[in-house]
């Protein structure tokens, strides 16, 4: 089967930006009282990246594959490598999405690439999502999502040399991940991926030392750090790359450092050993 044949495939999903998932994520991110868990009124802007609370992957239970995601070969190509991860994303925020909006997301497979990485064979699938609000012709948000698929683990696998994260930062937040945090984020995004809750599966089948913290959760924590320090910042562009997995067995931290000219903010995730896990940049409008 030629994976390139999937390039150009497209699907469209409609949804409403409802208040309850917003309230649940604000509680999960530990917003201070009285904001945590509070339902926002219609017209409240969605914080950056909270569009992931909508357009949930409503696959029938019988369509779910071994890793807890939908079986491959319908919208996403039937990639033969077993271990799926979120490699990174790139966003252009054209206009804010507001609670109460009727949203339409059109997703298109724009690239499928096989690569040989330090950790073995990799297949990258790039999906472009365009989200439009209330029937408008122009997208309010454009996202390019890189999904990576990895080989099965081998007994003598050696992790590639990690990169040290910057030593200091203007802003930071320390997170103690646990099963409950991971479960709540999986539930909010209706993500059945076993690597986030099935410890036996993630250690024995995928060969990782612990449950994996979701890439989109870490990216959301990065943007939440920026929001908490600069609530009025208007972000025009944001991109992140997940460079090293974060596991629930140790604390981790998220950091941000505005540039001297105030036009960009570098954001990053750092594990308990000081290694870079996610590298991101927000461009301010
Ligand atoms: C991605 C891994 C496997 C590459 O591992 P590697 O070390 O073997 O790669 P490399 O040797 O550094 O690079 C090989 C090639 O891949 C490219 N590359 C390398 N990294 C990236 C990246 N991030 N984004 C885009 N491209 C990337 C890189 O530029 C290079 O391309 P080239 O040959 O053309 O020069 C490795 O860096 C890794 O394990 N990263 C952490 C991934 C992670 O933890 N993701 C979040 C958790 S999984 C998740 O949230 C799941 C979820 C939510 O359930 C869900 O399914 O959607």
């Amino acid at each position: 089967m030629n994976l390139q044949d999937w390039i150009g495939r497209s699907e469209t999903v409609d949804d409403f930006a409802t208040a309850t998932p917003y309230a649940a994520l604000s509680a999960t991110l530990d917003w201070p009282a009285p904001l945590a868990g509070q339902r926002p009124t219609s017209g409240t802007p969605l914080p950056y990246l909270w569009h992931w609370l909508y357009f949930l992957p409503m696959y029938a239970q019988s369509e779910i594959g071994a890793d807890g995601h939908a079986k491959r070969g319908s919208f996403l190509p039937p990639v033969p490598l077993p271990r799926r991860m979120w490699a990174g994303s790139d966003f252009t925020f054209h206009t804010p999405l507001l609670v109460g909006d009727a949203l339409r997301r059109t997703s298109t497979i724009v690239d499928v690439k096989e690569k040989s990485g330090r950790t073995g064979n990799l297949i990258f699938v790039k999906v472009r999502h365009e989200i439009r609000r209330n029937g408008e012709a122009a997208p309010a948000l454009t996202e390019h999502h890189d999904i990576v698929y990895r080989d099965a683990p081998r007994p003598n696998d050696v992790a590639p040399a990690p990169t040290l994260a910057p030593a200091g930062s203007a802003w930071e937040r320390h997170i103690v991940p646990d099963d409950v945090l991971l479960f709540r984020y999986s539930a909010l995004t209706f993500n059945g991926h076993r690597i986030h809750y099935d410890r036996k599966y993630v250690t024995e089948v995928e060969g990782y030392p612990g449950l994996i913290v979701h890439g989109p959760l870490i990216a959301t924590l990065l943007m939440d750090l920026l929001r908490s320090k600069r609530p009025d910042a208007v972000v025009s562009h944001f991109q992140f790359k997940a460079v090293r997995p974060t596991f629930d067995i140790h604390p981790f931290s998220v950091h941000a450092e505005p540039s001297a000219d105030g036009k960009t903010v570098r954001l990053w995730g750092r594990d308990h050993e000081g290694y870079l896990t996610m590298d991101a940049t927000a461009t301010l409008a």
Side-chain angles (χ1 to χ4, degrees):
M1 201 168 294
N2 189 351
L3 299 178
Q4 304 296 316
D5 291 348
W6 260 255
I7 295 175
R9 280 202 187 202
S10 178
E11 67 172 21
T12 295
V13 181
D14 290 327
D15 204 353
F16 291 97
T18 50
T20 298
Y22 179 118
L25 184 57
S26 65
T28 304
L29 296 180
D30 241 338
W31 280 18
L35 298 174
Q38 192 173 87
R39 280 180 185 73
T41 52
S42 231
T44 303
L46 289 187
Y48 297 109
L49 307 186
W50 289 32
H51 64 283
W52 285 328
L53 294 171
Y54 306 103
F55 312 106
L56 302 182
M58 308 269 190
Y59 291 95
Q61 194 62 22
S62 52
E63 292 176 71
I64 298 297
D67 65 358
H69 273 304
K71 286 176 192 153
R72 301 172 195 165
S74 54
F75 175 62
L76 287 174
V79 173
L81 304 181
R83 294 189 292 170
R84 169 175 164 170
M85 292 189 124
W86 193 304
S89 285
D90 183 299
F91 309 82
T92 305
F93 302 104
H94 309 284
T95 47
L97 303 174
L98 307 182
V99 171
D101 280 349
L103 301 177
R104 168 163 290 188
R105 185 186 70 183
T106 302
S107 307
T108 310
I109 311 267
V110 292
D111 203 8
V112 180
K113 262 203 184 88
E114 296 188 34
K115 294 191 175 186
S116 175
R118 293 172 300 168
T119 59
N121 296 327
L122 303 170
I123 296 181
F124 287 90
V125 176
K126 191 184 281 293
V127 184
R128 184 183 64 232
H129 301 288
E130 288 180 334
I131 299 181
R132 293 178 168 77
R133 39 188 304 269
N134 305 326
E136 289 171 3
L141 189 164
T142 306
E143 170 179 3
H144 287 90
H145 171 193
D146 287 312
I147 303 167
V148 63
Y149 296 89
R150 305 183 60 202
D151 268 324
R154 283 157 305 199
N156 300 322
D157 274 349
V158 179
T163 304
L164 274 176
S169 59
W171 308 319
E172 62 189 59
R173 177 175 177 190
H174 292 257
I175 312 286
V176 180
D178 65 10
D179 313 38
V180 179
L181 172 67
L182 271 54
F183 169 79
R184 280 167 41 122
Y185 190 77
S186 289
L188 276 170
T189 52
F190 203 43
N191 178 347
H193 203 178
R194 288 179 183 275
I195 62 172
H196 307 300
Y197 60 86
D198 184 341
R199 201 171 296 276
K200 190 170 158 63
Y201 171 85
V202 77
T203 54
E204 294 179 13
V205 178
E206 297 224 359
Y208 295 109
L211 297 176
I212 299 178
V213 182
H214 316 67
L217 172 57
I218 300 174
T220 300
L221 286 164
L222 291 176
M223 288 304 261
D224 201 51
L225 178 63
L226 175 56
R227 179 205 54 81
S228 68
K229 301 296 179 186
R230 290 275 188 278
D232 298 325
V234 177
V235 178
S236 57
H237 186 252
F238 177 64
Q239 59 87 26
F240 73 87
K241 221 173 186 188
V243 296
R244 180 174 166 84
T246 300
F247 304 104
D248 74 322
I249 48 180
H250 298 288
F252 68 96
S253 49
V254 289
H255 300 258
E257 181 76 40
S259 62
D261 63 9
K263 290 185 179 161
T264 58
V265 180
R266 183 176 176 203
L267 304 108
W268 64 95
R270 182 181 190 270
D271 70 12
H272 66 292
E273 294 178 300
Y275 293 124
L276 188 68
T277 55
M278 183 170 282
D279 204 1
T281 306
T283 306
L284 306 182

